[in-house]
């Protein structure tokens, strides 16, 4: 989500690198595996990776035809239409991410409960990483809690092995994000899962240094790019969906 204002960097969206306040950004409208393979071929090192890949949603039906459920179903349908309910090529993407970090794993990945076990096995059992679960608690969850708890939390797993993590204050050190669902930006930018820039800014401040390179392999409408550039970090991002890329 790169808003073109005097205070916000304007980024060329054709895979070309531009400079903003002595840092650079390159955005690719391409498959993340192809982009990552190119970075590996160039022997790139990425100190920080942040990813918000498609979630694995087993049930996208609201349940019945009440007014509430019809309203919920509209949101679920947007997720299906955006093709972000069937997961992704987990090992292919993660193997490349690990290669780009050259043994110093420092990676945040948004997920739902269905994906947690795979990620934990991959990073903890497979690579010996430590991990910290972070949670976005939503103050305005969808009121759909029949026979289950409310869906008022979104999860972010932080995996690290020799990676940098140095919060500078208690607010940045918190593992909780307390904000409503980002419905305003979702509607404004035409993407159903836009993350807050201030959430991403906290991750970047804590786990990178000025001038470091940040990669977002599923950048959507560009919130991570905006946060990285404003904080003086270089950025590389990829987004396969042309509509979201051109937002």
């Amino acid at each position: 989500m790169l808003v073109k204002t005097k205070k916000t960097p304007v980024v060329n969206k054709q895979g070309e690198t531009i400079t903003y306040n002595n840092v650079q950004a390159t955005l690719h409208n391409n498959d993340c595996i192809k982009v990552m393979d190119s970075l590996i071929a160039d022997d790139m090192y990425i100190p920080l990776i942040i990813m918000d890949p498609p979630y694995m949603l087993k049930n996208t039906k609201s349940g019945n035809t009440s007014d509430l459920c019809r309203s919920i179903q509209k949101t679920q349908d947007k997720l299906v239409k955006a093709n972000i309910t069937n997961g992704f090529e987990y090992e292919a993407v993660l193997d490349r991410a690990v290669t780009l970090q050259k043994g110093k794993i420092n990676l945040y990945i948004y997920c739902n409960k269905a994906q947690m076990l795979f990620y934990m096995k991959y990073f903890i059992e497979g690579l010996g990483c430590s991990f910290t679960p972070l949670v976005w608690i939503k103050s305005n969850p969808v009121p759909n809690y029949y026979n289950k708890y409310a869906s008022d939390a979104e999860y972010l797993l932080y995996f690290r092995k020799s990676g940098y993590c140095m919060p500078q204050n208690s607010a940045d050190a918190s593992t909780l994000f307390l904000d409503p669902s980002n419905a305003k930006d979702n509607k404004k930018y035409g993407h159903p899962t836009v993350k807050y820039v201030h959430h991403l800014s906290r991750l970047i401040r804590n786990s990178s240094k000025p001038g470091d390179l940040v990669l977002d392999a599923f950048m959507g409408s560009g919130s991570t790019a905006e946060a990285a550039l404003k904080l003086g970090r270089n950025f590389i991002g990829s987004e396969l969906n042309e509509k979201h890329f051109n937002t």
Side-chain angles (χ1 to χ4, degrees):
M1 172 180 56
L2 294 173
V3 184
K4 297 181 180 180
T5 70
K6 292 181 180 180
K7 295 182 179 180
T8 305
V10 178
V11 177
N12 187 309
K13 296 192 173 184
Q14 301 303 321
E16 299 178 2
T17 301
I18 61 96
T19 300
Y20 171 78
N21 283 356
N22 298 317
V23 291
Q24 297 179 326
T26 306
L27 307 186
H28 300 273
N29 183 199
N30 205 340
D31 182 90
C32 66
I33 290 178
K34 294 179 180 178
V35 173
M36 295 168 88
D37 280 342
S38 176
L39 297 175
I40 291 170
D42 290 338
D43 197 30
M44 295 288 288
Y45 166 55
I46 312 289
L48 174 61
I49 296 176
I50 300 173
M51 295 196 293
D52 184 14
Y55 289 2
M56 184 188 299
L57 299 181
K58 295 182 179 180
N59 185 4
T60 59
K61 300 301 181 183
S62 59
N64 60 50
T65 58
S66 68
D67 289 343
L68 173 59
C69 285
R70 279 199 295 268
S71 175
I72 295 170
Q73 188 62 54
K74 290 179 181 178
T75 300
Q76 301 288 64
D77 290 344
K78 289 178 181 178
L79 297 175
V80 173
K81 186 176 180 180
N83 194 29
I84 55 176
T85 61
N86 296 318
F88 64 106
E89 296 180 68
Y90 295 90
E91 291 193 9
V93 172
L94 297 180
D95 286 350
R96 287 163 171 80
V98 169
T99 298
L100 286 167
Q101 298 212 293
K102 298 185 181 296
K104 296 182 179 180
I105 297 171
N106 201 33
L107 184 147
Y108 292 90
I109 186 164
Y110 284 91
C111 67
N112 64 3
K113 290 182 290 186
Q115 297 168 307
M116 281 185 176
L117 183 59
F118 173 82
Y119 291 142
M120 294 175 72
K121 285 184 175 180
Y122 181 93
F123 285 102
I124 299 172
E125 294 184 12
L127 298 173
C129 294
S130 62
F131 94 107
T132 301
L134 293 87
V135 185
W136 173 10
I137 303 297
K138 301 180 180 182
S139 59
N140 61 340
V142 175
N144 182 19
Y145 44 81
Y146 177 75
N147 199 35
K148 68 183 185 71
Y149 284 99
S151 299
D152 59 357
E154 192 159 351
Y155 305 98
L156 173 63
L157 302 183
Y158 176 41
F159 296 102
R160 181 163 68 115
K161 186 177 182 180
S162 301
Y164 178 84
C165 183
M166 195 63 65
Q168 296 300 304
N169 54 65
S170 59
D172 275 358
S174 174
T175 59
L176 299 178
F177 298 89
L178 305 175
D179 281 294
S181 298
N182 200 3
K184 181 179 178 180
D185 283 345
N186 291 349
K187 182 177 181 179
K188 181 177 180 180
Y189 297 103
H191 191 289
T193 62
V194 175
K195 300 302 185 288
Y196 284 108
V197 171
H198 66 271
H199 289 192
L200 297 160
S201 296
R202 188 198 298 183
L203 310 181
I204 293 169
R205 282 195 303 271
N206 289 346
S207 298
S208 68
K209 302 175 184 178
D212 275 354
L213 180 58
V214 179
L215 170 68
D216 185 344
F218 302 87
M219 69 177 187
S221 52
S223 299
T224 310
E226 182 176 345
L229 292 174
K230 286 182 174 180
L231 290 171
R233 274 66 166 176
N234 296 290
F235 179 81
I236 296 175
S238 60
E239 172 55 46
L240 183 61
N241 186 296
E242 186 175 5
K243 178 182 177 182
H244 297 155
F245 181 82
N246 288 323
T247 297

